Amino acid sequence: MSTPVITAAGSERALGDADLLAAYGWDHPAHSGRPVFRFNFVASADGAVTWNGRSGELGDDADRRLFALLRSTAQVILVGAGTVRSEGYAGDLVSAQTRSWRTEQGLAAHPGVAVVSAALDLDPGSAFFTEAPVKPLVLTAAAAPRGRLAALEKVADVVVAGADTVEPALAARALAQRGWLRVLCEGGPRLFGSFQAAGLVDELCLTLSPVLAAGSSGRISAGTPEVQLARLRLQHVLRAGDTLLLRYLTR
């Protein structure tokens, strides 16, 4: 399979991996030690975040190429429990070549993996845990069932980050304590919504898929009431055929 050609909008020059890594550098203002939160989503042109229950159904080779590159520089991948259940997340999340490259860059060979689950509705016997290349971190709430917590503590590091729900600010603190300051958030919509409400979204990388999905799929953000509009700054527009790769910053 050939490498999908990605160009800057208005240009015909194909961008190599080095160009893309430079375009997606972690060039954010200092946050006094708190992590930088980069959210990555794909959506259809009519706003659907999934097709047949999975976001991966909306992406193409260009989206998958960028998806892998974004993972390559992250210190930790943060996901919600629903995303783990629907998308799998079992086994290695980066390639052997990427692990070698990360080591050369002074990063851990495999990024950390953190999952947010207030109710701990996760199967400790699932491949997500049994085939994990690094021990997952589970961020949960104090109200989570004690039995589930005890079972998950055998296969993951479990940290309480809130009373009834996982509070983004406490989750950020737990990640920072592990030295994870470059956080790639891969969904789902409720996780994105909670971090928006907490004012902890630094960046949105959005692949706009050239398809119409119709149906009843939700948006990339969910679970929080409407608040004031948060303005974004468009950092760049890349394209691969009819697919648009958008990068927005919030500051």
Side-chain angles (χ1 to χ4, degrees):
M1 183 175 60
S2 61
T3 301
V5 175
I6 298 175
T7 67
S11 171
E12 295 183 358
R13 184 177 75 85
L15 300 177
D17 286 352
D19 298 315
L20 292 172
L21 288 172
Y24 285 91
W26 295 83
D27 47 359
H28 294 265
H31 288 305
S32 300
R34 85 149 173 86
V36 171
F37 291 96
R38 166 182 284 171
F39 282 80
N40 184 41
F41 283 95
V42 59
S44 69
D46 57 349
V49 69
T50 60
W51 175 253
N52 288 333
R54 299 187 64 210
S55 63
E57 297 290 327
L58 295 173
D60 58 10
D61 287 343
D63 177 62
R64 285 184 281 274
R65 178 186 175 193
L66 180 60
F67 187 80
L69 282 170
L70 293 182
R71 281 183 170 181
S72 71
T73 59
Q75 292 176 314
V76 61
I77 297 168
L78 179 66
V79 289
T83 299
V84 170
R85 289 192 295 269
S86 63
E87 305 286 345
Y89 277 78
D92 289 327
L93 302 183
V94 296
S95 68
Q97 180 180 358
T98 295
R99 291 197 297 274
S100 178
W101 179 87
R102 285 174 58 89
T103 300
E104 293 172 358
Q105 304 303 311
L107 296 168
H110 194 288
V113 181
V115 57
V116 174
S117 179
L120 292 182
D121 188 12
L122 294 163
D123 178 6
S126 69
F128 173 73
F129 293 106
T130 62
E131 299 178 11
V134 294
K135 193 175 186 179
L137 170 66
V138 176
L139 298 165
T140 191
R146 297 295 94 188
R148 293 181 183 177
L149 189 148
L152 286 169
E153 283 182 329
K154 298 177 181 179
V155 294
D157 292 328
V158 182
V159 173
V160 172
D164 298 312
T165 63
V166 175
E167 299 177 22
L170 296 180
R173 183 185 304 171
L175 298 176
Q177 288 173 344
R178 285 161 174 75
W180 291 337
L181 300 180
R182 297 179 176 183
V183 186
L184 177 62
C185 309
E186 296 182 348
R190 288 188 177 276
L191 182 68
F192 188 32
S194 69
F195 272 71
Q196 283 186 60
L200 288 177
V201 175
D202 297 298
E203 179 174 341
L204 170 62
C205 299
L206 177 63
T207 297
L208 192 59
S209 179
V211 298
L212 297 175
S216 58
S217 174
R219 300 164 47 195
I220 65 173
S221 178
T224 54
E226 287 187 359
V227 292
Q228 66 181 27
L229 292 173
R231 295 294 176 185
L232 300 174
R233 175 165 59 88
L234 181 63
Q235 186 75 354
H236 67 228
V237 178
L238 307 181
R239 63 174 299 176
D242 295 320
T243 297
L244 296 181
L245 306 168
L246 311 175
R247 184 188 182 201
Y248 292 98
L249 303 182
T250 60
R251 296 171 176 81

